[in-house]
Amino acid sequence: MQLFETMRLEEGKFPRLPYHKKRIKQSAEQLKFNLDEKKWNQLIEMLMNDYPTGAYRIKILLDQDGSLDYVVATLSDKNKFTAKLVPLPDNVNKPELINKTTVRKHLSHNHQ
């Protein structure tokens, strides 16, 4: 299992960076993941420097041992999205529900 944070990177800036950092830090503390803030800050700086123009979806992944990885994708130019509420099963693990982890069984659905 990994923790992750998905953020918008636009024109070399993360608009809500303090919010995202606070959220992954709280999740790391709750789930006993080692988040090295210096490494986090270095990765953020590198991404801002490497993608100074355009708009991207950045997904930063944190392993329990503190290893960081990332995925960069261009943002969709869709201006309309749809969603459907799906009831959660009773046996959902609360930490997996409350925190953004790569264990996402409780979110699977058939996309109808």
Side-chain angles (χ1 to χ4, degrees), residues 74-91:
T74 56
L75 283 176
S76 170
D77 59 356
K78 289 173 39 173
N79 59 9
K80 185 176 181 181
F81 292 84
T82 60
K84 178 181 177 185
L85 294 176
V86 178
L88 288 173
D90 293 332
N91 62 347

Side-chain angles (χ1 to χ4, degrees), residues 56-68:
Y56 302 92
R57 177 183 175 269
I58 307 293
K59 183 176 187 178
I60 297 181
L61 299 136
L62 173 66
D63 287 327
Q64 193 162 14
D65 68 1
S67 301
L68 290 166

